[in-house]
Amino acid sequence: MSSSVRIVPVILSGGAGTRLWPSSREAYPKQFLPLLGDRSTFEDTLARVSDRSVFADPMIVTGEDFRFLVADQLARAGVSGRIVLEPMRRDTAPCIAVAAELLRASDPNAVMLVLAADHLVTDKAAFAATAQAGLAAAAAGGLVTFGITPTQPATGYGYINPGAVADGRVRKVTAFVEKPDRATAETFVADGYLWNSGNFLFRADAFLNELRTFEPEIAAVAEQAAKAIAVDAAGDITFERIDRAIFAASPAKSVDYAVMEKTAQAMVVEANYRWSDLGSWDALWEMSEKDAEGNAVRGGVTLSGTRNSYVASDEIHTAVVGLENVAVIASKDAVLVARRDVAHELKALVGGLRAKEATRKFADEHARVMRPWGSYESVDRGSRFQVKRIVVKPGARLSLQKHFHRSEHWIVVTGTATVEIDGTTKIVRENESVYIPLGAWHRLGNEGRIDLELIEVQSGSYLGEDDIVRSQDDYKRV
């Protein structure tokens, strides 16, 4: 069986990535960002499983809010794949279980490779070889995980104690161990323990059998959810939606707690490639190229007397003088300065931002807000006006909409706009403008081949994003 079967990658890409704030935020998390190089980690993951002699087309499990980000990056990577939407986060076991049920329904012998979309692997060929090394054990019913040879006694990862050799590079798992303190981690490394990468390879039915034994409630919900999947098309993109009411009944539990730490079928393949979960700015510093002083930089940065630091800037030129072992991250609307060794503690900081109305936007959204049709960015704002920069992708259009509290002026900077106002359509070219009266039904589209960029000036008594009534929408947000 293992010689002919292709592995089905199941890529989990619904996380919030708060530990890389302010670059990663709820509305646009780290798996979709180009943190190292020009591609996002999600795109890197797609590239890692692109050899169709080894891997089948992937299944992507993500959240409702990220569906068009996933679709865009799939298209950019030239990859076809199923997009399954979870209505809420219930940790990894429930969504993996639904994916397993869907795969088993189409292929009773399906072998699935569960991957996180936000991890970094530096060697694509070694990764594929590791997956193939575990395939026979997985096809025979083993639940295989990939263990990473530690490069240091890290306290931010769980560990695996590998036992007797089962087959080739595959060994039985003696124990999974939670994140240790420094002294314990040093002992683990000396004793040959491996980092737990959180990536898994197993037959869908074998995983479900173990899940029924240890977490029957999660298994029952997954089976019901898979049978009730709703297929929804938005243009030429198809989404498979998990029913909210069904999924909400599932206990929230990680796959490690639910199955891997309990099963007698756990096996591990030692991976011989460099890996990171990019779970902190310190981890990103570890994986980045550094100068002679141990500094890693991205964007417009000037350093003086600075050592062993990670400094990144999206737009604002950032200068750091006389500091060591720090992470300095400058985005357009927020700046983080932290010691590298505590930069993993950002979850509490972001929670504090979200708890206050005045700072909530910094936790959840970037200055540039992504939409299915493109993006917008507020560039100036007063008590009764707001100026936005709007970009509409080729072939895209906004919903047919109206506002109760504001009028708008649109000035085209680049491209050609197709504008509909109360049933009348007109073309607006570069350096031309159009006025949208308060209460008018209107729509903006880009029928050209390049991005449409325009400046929008809003004027009115209330300028919130919730002052919108949609009549028609290509993305089914009505």
Side-chain angles (χ1 to χ4, degrees), residues 9 16 29 45 58 69 107 118 130 182 207 226 228-229 290 306 322 327-328 371 386 392 397 415 434 443-444 454 465:
T45 305
L69 286 173
D107 178 4
D118 56 358
T130 301
R182 179 78 182 188
F207 170 75
I229 283 285
K290 303 172 188 68
T306 299
V328 179
R371 288 291 183 260
Q386 180 172 210
V392 184
R397 62 178 181 173
V434 63
R443 179 173 235 166
L444 172 66
L454 57 88
E465 291 300 320

Side-chain angles (χ1 to χ4, degrees), residues 338-376:
R339 294 201 324 263
R340 271 194 16 247
D341 62 342
V342 298
H344 62 282
E345 298 174 6
L346 288 179
K347 190 173 183 178
L349 173 68
V350 174
L353 291 171
R354 187 172 291 120
K356 299 177 181 178
E357 185 175 353
T359 56
R360 187 171 301 137
K361 66 177 182 179
F362 299 116
D364 293 337
E365 291 194 337
H366 293 80
R368 182 185 180 206
V369 179
M370 306 304 296
R371 288 291 183 260
W373 43 262
S375 65
Y376 71 83

